Amino acid sequence: MALKPIKFPVYSHTHIFEFFALLQWKVLVYDRKCRDIISPLLNVSKLRKRGVTLHLLLESEREEIPDVPAVYFIEPTEENMARLAEDLQKRLYSAVYLNFASKLDRPLMERLAKNAIASNSYSMVTKVVDQYLDFVTLEPSLFTLNQANSYLSYNNPGASEADMETYARAVTYGVFSMLATVGSVPVIRCAAGGPAEMVARQLNDLISEHLLGNSPFFLRGTGGSTAAFHRPLLIIFDRNDDLVTALHHTSSYQALVDDVLPHRLNRVTVESRQDGESGGATKKRNYDLDVENDQFYSRYAGALFPEAIQANGAELAEVTKKEDEIRSKTITQLGKGERVDDPTQDGSAKELLSAVDSLPKLLERKKSLEVHTNILQAIMSAIAAREVPIFFDVEESMVASSRADKATVKALLADPDKGSLQDKLRLLAVFTLSSKASTADLQELNETVRQAFATSPPSSSSLGAWPSHEEVELGIGAVNYLRRQRAVQHLPDLIESDSNKAGGGARGSLGAGTAIQGAAGIGGVDSGYMSHFINKAQSQATGLLAKATNLLSRRNSLYVSRVVDNLCNFKPNTEDESFLYLDPKVKGLDSSAVKGRAPYREVIVFMIGGGCYAEYQNLQEYSRQQSAMAPRHVLYGCTELLNAEGFLTQLTELGTSFGREGRSFGQRTPLSLNTFGNGSDKSDDTPVLESQNTIPSSSPAPSSPSFKHTVAKTLLNKRNEATKSTNRSAPIKKTHHADNVPRSKNLLIVGLGNPGKEYAMTRHNAGFLAVDLLARRLGADFRLRSAFQGEYGCVAYKGKSVGLLKPTTFMNRSGQSLRKVLDYFKLPVSSVLVVVDEVALDIGQIRLRQTGSAGGHNGLKSIESCLKCKDYNRLRIGVGGAAPGSMVDHVLGQFSRSERKVLDDMLIDAVEAIEDWIEDDNTDKVMNRVNAPR
């Protein structure tokens, strides 16, 4: 079975509102970081649909709303915990549901409990949950940890060991949050040494700790698990592996949006003239870009800019034409006195009626296309003023050939009319990193940049503010930092050399240096066209197209895409032989010990030090090139998403730091693999099945000496009771029963049925009846557990702890209750036995199975949906078939008088079968005994 594509469902970040979905309305309180997590996924209208009528910053002044509950979604920092304690003291809300984006450490938890006790507000805390959502989902295949200055943090020569520890731990837990949300245990690959290995090893240890502890995030599978089948590949990169891509001028629509316009968290700001004239006042407009719901953006976000501009013009013309036709026909029809909504009219009238009904969607599409027209025009204005395509062309030639014409570069750097300071610095940086220029050549080009901005700006310049001498020197310092970086490490080729191109180009493979071409009519354009790019057009529309169609349309495979291809296909003499191989399921494993690996189909690429849209789009293009018979989905993540200007800002600070510290690279603080702890996430407060009665039903009196400890323990237990939505939706790792793996000593028997006296003796409640009889035989008592959404009891039997569960969710939601219990006790699915009615069996018959389909049973459908698997033990109790068309009445009907004569014996057989299953770990033998003819 192939692993499903790894995508981030929107609900992975929005389930924090489901804790009390029955409430009509609520307040959402967040800090700035958590606001960034939510904002790309939920706008105001979506929040209102989830009952959030107010959303407020934690640090803002907030009025008291004592009759309303509040959902807190915050980072567990000391400052936030202090503000939270203040809110509890003021009793701003009726109840609070605390959701922490990352792990809440025990000292902070105990401090919260202490403050809540002091203000006598501890009863307001309803739930405490570590959500492990310390990342931002921007698209189904794109996420970021949103960690500012991430490249600067681990390259700063003044960083201490403690700083490194803090940084590495934040990155590790951020990636862990993503994996916990996805619910997959990856195989980890990375280059040896540096931050990539440090994070990879810490992440490997952290996942291993959770696997050993039966964490709800990663429930252990069986088998030896060295095979790559059904598991994703996580490749961790260091930004220093490929510095050029972060600085290179870009060519795709989405990358240009991020490069030349103000753009953050899918929101872009466009500045336009109100009257359309050059001298008119400007107005800023914000647009939210949604690759999932915006059809045009979904198709063309990764397209080359000329392709996007042409498609926008063509689609807008098509939509406008259809709109005009509908309006013209409507006016003509009404002019004849005919009603377009009259169903008795002829076919033409009905056709027109259908067209009129489609008009709102057509206008909505037109509005969306006009938004993209405004964005495209803003991009065109920026790249035309800076003559970006010329810089792109020169940089692309240098990267593709590893050769550079110094004279061409110098001419561009010297011309004050071409490019901003940022453009020139980017060109100089690419030249520095991709060529083998001498120190003298680089110093000469540095001086050329100084001279270009030494004089006053040209009167015709449209490049904005002229940079000061200090800004120029800071920029040159950033490039000098890159020169030193190049001198102390081997930077890989970004585009594969001509000598490696043989045999490339086959579909499903990025052959060395194979160009990824654009649509027909776009690719293969002679690079000599660049001199025509800035030709002024006669009109705004034709000018936009004329400029766009001249933008270079070549796209080559980048370094990360090539490494992904090499590692997924185990190519010899590549990174597959040099990269470390870490498997959280196996200790001390290296790649040489792995035999018979199958090519990976799910890949997660993570870039430490900042990623960029050009890299992301190149990986998506690589994914689209794969054969339909062997698809490969690539998810891209990074510590932060940076455009070139943002990356240059960090390089500038590094250049300044090295100059200020007077250090060379040889004196730089090393990144040690022992910089921070062992990644353990173990806690001594994890409840076990036998201790299900340890949560106090009421708090002790404040005078009790252990009161503070008890309340702190209660808050911890509330946190453990709460179930993370991503855990409910993530597939539980299956135990292959054929391997006869011994079951846990903690077992769970689940009887299915409907709550309420009216359903007590119905056929659909046969599961309840059997578990009730089992409870009486074993001496167990049920009590309602709201955290489990069911009645629950526990008893020791044959040296094992046996939990008994009757969901009170009604039949078609039984899986929700079961999932809550499994997550709470961290039980594997092999420890569960579901007892259910079966219409395919005659009354009196029972059958034990380890797997199978739901067979139309709504209770089993719910369980399969929540567990994401069909491999769980189930005991089917026969209730007889129904007449055609009367299934509902049959299963919800009472057992007949004749059936009740058989019912008692059948329930006894069922209970004895359950007891046999509890006692004997060999389910195959139990099945032979239970299913034998009676």
Side-chain angles (χ1 to χ4, degrees), residues 750-754 768 788-789 805-820 834 857-863 866:
V750 185
L752 300 190
N754 289 309
F768 274 13
F788 296 161
Q789 292 184 295
L805 176 67
K806 296 194 299 180
T808 56
T809 56
F810 287 92
M811 183 67 78
N812 60 356
R813 294 183 179 178
S814 301
Q816 297 177 8
S817 175
L818 171 57
R819 186 74 199 237
K820 285 180 178 291
V834 177
H857 195 287
N858 289 334
L860 297 184
K861 285 181 180 179
S862 175
I863 290 175
C866 291

Side-chain angles (χ1 to χ4, degrees), residues 397-414:
S397 298
M398 286 190 292
V399 171
S401 64
S402 296
R403 295 186 298 271
D405 183 355
K406 191 185 80 170
T408 301
V409 173
K410 185 175 181 179
L412 266 178
L413 296 178

